[in-house]
């Protein structure tokens, strides 16, 4: 295998060289290399606009790459250890859509982790596949649902050996991983490809202190959000393929369908730069980054109002609220102090440490002191019980996606919906997993638990469930 210079950034360099020639634009985009822009905002956008180009001579074409984009993607494939790497300018969403559309057609079975990103559900509907949903396990130590266990995956494969793929999320949003290698090996015994939404694991291949990457564990296709942990622009992501079980040509076909025909050159260049940045990190750099994350956790642990939860990814810092507090309340207080976490749930707050040492220690210490002072007289709240949502490890839709298109929908009162087939998902927060998915038959247990959740103050991702549930006639 030829080893290339990973410090190279062919796509970014070509854009810089093109812009330096101060070319006259009689082409799109309409800002004309930054000459036409809105008022004072031009000063803010001016540095990037000359690089916001289109498929001009020498600048290649993402959807038929043979030049600098192809070279940049080959460098990424070599660095991450894939056979092929594709640049995504529509986020991991575009990659999830393309890899699922590439492996299945209408009526094909596909085994899916139930607590997947919504783009997975959208891809299932677009493909017309017949999903077999695997329930996640509730991890009492982490106090949340994580992933299906290996036995559930094996049971699903044994019951559906004709499945076209297994789709899993690794890691979860909080950096939680699991025994993926054994699951992949078992799937491959049945010649079933494994597709991984690894949106939060682009850095896993860098260092032994990080979990193993899904590519290293043998996954067939892996999507990574470069903008989440690497220094790429928002919506920049990678789709890696390393398998004879998949057709890379099919994946390319669907990528040009789901991605823009006018892809963003700044986003693509940032993917080129992000790969070079990751490749340039030394062992000393990574040791300093991990040590910095541990220092942040030590500072965070000084409060009596939360615990710092240990996870698999050392760069994820999770606070678990003590009884009487919510994660949303804690996050709000941090934001009032000018420190913005990634997300908050009913009982947890997630902070993401970047790929550089953190140095605002005094600000963080002062913030925690100020928050502690504000939380001294917090009134206890009821604990929300969510560990009994999924009693069946495997579930399927009552009607397929093609049939759904043939049915009209009506609204029925919440309490009268058992027996109907849901025409929309209903997702309680917590845990943020569809409790009822579109196409699933509603049961009395669904309604009883949803009623209990609402009494506990659980928020439902639904317009207004008291006004009825949309069902198929």
């Amino acid at each position: 295998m030829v080893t290339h210079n990973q410090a190279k950034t062919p796509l970014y360099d070509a854009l810089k060289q093109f812009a330096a020639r101060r070319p006259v634009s009689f082409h799109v985009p309409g800002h004309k290399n930054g000459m036409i822009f809105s008022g004072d905002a031009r000063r803010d956008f001016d540095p990037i606009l000359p690089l916001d180009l289109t498929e001009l001579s020498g600048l290649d074409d993402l959807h038929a790459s043979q030049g600098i984009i192809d070279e940049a993607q080959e460098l990424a494939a070599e660095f991450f250890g894939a056979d092929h790497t594709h640049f995504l300018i529509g986020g991991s969403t575009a990659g999830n859509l393309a890899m699922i559309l590439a492996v299945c057609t209408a009526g094909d079975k596909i085994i899916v982790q139930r607590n997947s990103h919504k783009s997975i559900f959208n891809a299932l509907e677009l493909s017309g596949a017949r999903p077999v949903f695997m329930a996640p396990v509730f991890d009492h130590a982490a106090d949340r649902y994580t992933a299906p266990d290996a036995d559930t995956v094996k049971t699903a494969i044994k019951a559906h050996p004709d499945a076209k793929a297994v789709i899993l999320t690794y890691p979860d949003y909080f950096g939680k991983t699991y025994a993926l290698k054994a699951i992949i090996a078992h799937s491959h015994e049945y010649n079933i490809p494994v597709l991984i939404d690894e949106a939060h694991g682009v850095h896993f291949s860098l260092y032994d202190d990080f979990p193993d990457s899904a590519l290293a564990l043998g996954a067939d296709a892996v999507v990574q959000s470069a903008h989440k942990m690497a220094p790429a622009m928002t919506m920049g992501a990678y789709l890696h393929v390393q398998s004879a079980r998949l057709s890379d040509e099919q994946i390319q076909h669907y990528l040009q369908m789901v991605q823009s025909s006018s892809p963003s050159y700044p986003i693509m260049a940032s993917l080129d730069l992000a790969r070079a940045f990751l490749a340039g990190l030394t062992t000393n750099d990574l040791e300093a980054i991990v040590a910095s994350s541990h220092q942040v956790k030590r500072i965070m642990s000084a409060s009596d109002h939360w615990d710092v939860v240990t996870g698999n990814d050392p760069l994820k810092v999770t606070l678990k609220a003590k009884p009487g507090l919510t994660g949303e309340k804690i996050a709000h207080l941090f934001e009032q102090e000018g420190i913005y976490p990634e997300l908050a749930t009913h009982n947890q707050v997630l902070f993401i440490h970047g790929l550089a040492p953190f140095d605002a220690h005094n600000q963080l210490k002062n913030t925690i002191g100020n928050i502690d002072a504000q939380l001294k007289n917090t009134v206890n709240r009821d604990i929300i019980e969510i560990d009994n949502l999924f009693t069946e490890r495997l579930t399927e839709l009552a009607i397929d996606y093609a049939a759904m298109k043939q049915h009209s929908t009506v609204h029925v009162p919440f309490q009268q919906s058992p027996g109907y087939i849901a025409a929309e998902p209903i997702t309680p927060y917590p845990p943020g997993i569809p409790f009822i998915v579109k196409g699933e038959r509603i049961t009395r247990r669904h309604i009883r638990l949803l009623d209990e959740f609402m009494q506990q103050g659980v928020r439902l991702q639904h317009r207004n469930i008291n006004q009825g549930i949309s069902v198929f006639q």
Side-chain angles (χ1 to χ4, degrees), residues 295-353:
Q295 175 66 6
V296 167
K297 291 174 185 176
R298 284 192 291 271
I299 295 172
M300 291 282 201
S301 65
S303 174
D304 293 328
H305 293 97
W306 57 73
D307 294 316
V308 177
V309 179
T310 301
N312 301 103
D313 182 354
L315 301 188
K316 298 293 180 74
V317 183
T318 304
L319 308 185
K320 181 181 175 184
K322 294 285 183 69
L325 286 171
T326 66
E328 291 95 339
K329 174 67 173 178
I330 293 170
H332 176 68
L333 293 174
F334 269 99
E335 290 172 357
Q336 286 188 325
E337 298 285 332
I339 295 178
Y340 287 80
E342 170 66 14
L343 66 81
T345 70
H346 71 297
N347 68 340
Q348 298 188 7
V349 187
L350 173 64
F351 296 79
I352 298 179
H353 191 289

Side-chain angles (χ1 to χ4, degrees), residues 36 41 51 79-80 99 108 112 149 164 174 184 199 260 282 284 302 313-314 319 327 354 398 423 426 456 464:
I36 303 172
L51 304 183
F79 174 71
F80 288 104
M99 69 180 179
D108 286 339
V112 188
D149 58 27
K164 295 298 184 180
F174 295 83
I184 292 172
S260 172
T282 66
N284 287 341
D313 182 354
L319 308 185
I426 298 177
Q456 289 180 301
N464 187 344

Side-chain angles (χ1 to χ4, degrees), residues 238-455:
Y238 303 113
L239 169 53
H240 308 293
V241 182
Q242 59 163 11
S243 177
R245 299 176 189 87
L246 301 175
S247 167
D248 189 61
E249 288 74 18
Q250 278 288 89
I251 287 176
Q252 291 184 60
H253 170 71
Y254 284 105
L255 280 175
Q256 60 85 25
M257 291 178 68
V258 302
Q259 298 212 96
S260 172
S261 59
S262 299
S264 165
Y265 271 82
I267 292 177
M268 288 191 289
S270 78
L271 289 169
D272 193 23
L273 290 163
R275 182 268 315 151
F277 173 86
L278 296 176
L281 290 172
T282 66
T283 300
N284 287 341
D285 292 332
L286 292 162
E287 287 176 350
I289 291 165
V290 171
S292 172
S293 180
H294 290 323
Q295 175 66 6
V296 167
K297 291 174 185 176
R298 284 192 291 271
I299 295 172
M300 291 282 201
S301 65
S303 174
D304 293 328
H305 293 97
W306 57 73
D307 294 316
V308 177
V309 179
T310 301
N312 301 103
D313 182 354
L315 301 188
K316 298 293 180 74
V317 183
T318 304
L319 308 185
K320 181 181 175 184
K322 294 285 183 69
L325 286 171
T326 66
E328 291 95 339
K329 174 67 173 178
I330 293 170
H332 176 68
L333 293 174
F334 269 99
E335 290 172 357
Q336 286 188 325
E337 298 285 332
I339 295 178
Y340 287 80
E342 170 66 14
L343 66 81
T345 70
H346 71 297
N347 68 340
Q348 298 188 7
V349 187
L350 173 64
F351 296 79
I352 298 179
H353 191 289
L355 286 171
F358 176 79
D359 59 6
H361 295 141
N362 288 336
Q363 181 184 358
L364 185 58
K365 290 175 183 177
N366 292 336
T367 291
I368 291 171
N370 293 340
I371 291 174
D372 275 350
Q374 295 179 68
L375 294 177
K376 278 185 177 178
N377 300 314
T378 301
V379 178
N380 285 353
R381 62 174 175 84
D382 293 332
I383 296 175
I384 298 174
E385 302 290 346
I386 58 169
D387 60 354
N388 63 341
L389 260 66
F390 306 107
T391 56
E392 295 183 65
R393 293 202 294 178
L394 302 180
T395 54
E396 298 183 54
L397 299 180
I399 58 173
D400 61 32
Y401 291 114
M404 292 181 207
K405 295 179 181 179
Q406 307 304 316
H407 287 267
S408 59
T409 62
V410 294
H411 272 74
V412 299
F414 168 58
Q415 296 293 349
Q416 297 176 21
S417 63
Y420 285 96
I421 296 172
E424 59 184 338
I426 298 177
T427 304
Y429 281 83
I433 303 168
F435 183 47
I436 300 172
V437 300
K438 182 178 179 180
E440 191 169 34
R441 192 172 299 280
I442 302 169
T443 67
R444 293 192 181 280
R445 181 177 180 274
H446 283 140
I447 301 306
R448 176 174 56 80
L449 286 178
L450 286 173
D451 194 41
E452 290 178 8
F453 293 154
M454 288 189 289
Q455 290 179 32

